[in-house]
Amino acid sequence: MKGLWFLIFLIIVSFYATPALANITAKEIQPLAFGNMVVTGAPPQHIVITPAGTQTHDAGITLLPQGLPVHMWKNGICLLSGFTPGANVTVTISTPVTTELIKGGSSFDISTFTLDSDTDPETATYVADGSGTVTVQIGATLTTNAAAASYSDGPYLGTYTLDLTVDY
């Protein structure tokens, strides 16, 4: 079996805010990554990365040993700054967000983006720290595509935009 590298980078984060929030910025701290894998099962097969950074996968996906840090599975981390220290900040991901990553004739779908919340995976409330910053952890699900006959070796890279609504 050949190894398959798969990485996805959270490059673009946009959010909606009222004019009073015009000084709020978003910066990626850690890209979302699904790690090295071999797809052995018929589609659909899934890998889920939680906002906390844990991972589960279906039996038809074999994860290769964690190697270089760039090839490990990781949750995405985004830093929002410019809030009043101590402010309650509610962040909502607009759904559905689905991204197709294509290499040759093979593709994966990335969907079900989630935030680190105990009650609603699409909405989380944070308290801005002393510098007016909020750290948002993001998870997602990778799904193999039924149309893919096989997956070739190498990285599958992509970008996606998450629309975050910020209220505070």
Side-chain angles (χ1 to χ4, degrees):
M1 283 189 242
K2 294 183 177 182
L4 172 71
W5 296 358
F6 181 83
L7 302 171
I8 181 158
F9 293 96
L10 170 67
I11 300 291
I12 304 168
V13 175
S14 63
F15 56 93
Y16 302 102
T18 61
L21 304 178
N23 293 326
I24 295 181
T25 60
K27 179 180 179 185
E28 177 191 49
I29 300 301
Q30 176 172 283
L32 178 64
F34 289 89
N36 293 336
M37 71 187 87
V38 177
V39 178
T40 57
Q45 297 291 318
H46 305 87
I47 296 179
V48 176
I49 306 296
T50 68
T54 60
Q55 171 279 134
T56 59
H57 62 279
D58 292 342
I61 291 181
T62 302
L63 294 177
L64 300 177
Q66 298 280 38
L68 300 173
V70 73
H71 298 133
M72 296 172 55
W73 67 79
K74 301 182 281 188
N75 59 330
I77 300 176
C78 182
L79 196 65
L80 305 178
S81 58
F83 299 101
T84 303
N88 287 327
V89 179
T90 301
V91 178
T92 303
I93 290 181
S94 299
T95 57
V97 175
T98 300
T99 300
E100 185 176 49
L101 302 173
I102 300 170
K103 179 180 180 183
S106 304
S107 66
F108 291 99
D109 291 329
I110 309 293
S111 62
T112 318
F113 289 88
T114 57
L115 297 172
D116 47 339
S117 171
D118 292 334
T119 56
D120 179 354
E122 296 173 3
T123 300
T125 300
Y126 307 89
V127 176
D129 66 16
S131 64
T133 301
V134 169
T135 302
V136 178
Q137 296 179 313
I138 301 167
T141 300
L142 174 130
T143 304
T144 59
N145 191 306
S150 65
Y151 288 93
S152 58
D153 288 353
Y156 285 69
L157 303 173
T159 60
Y160 53 86
T161 300
L162 292 179
D163 291 327
L164 302 177
T165 301
V166 178
D167 293 318
Y168 94 108

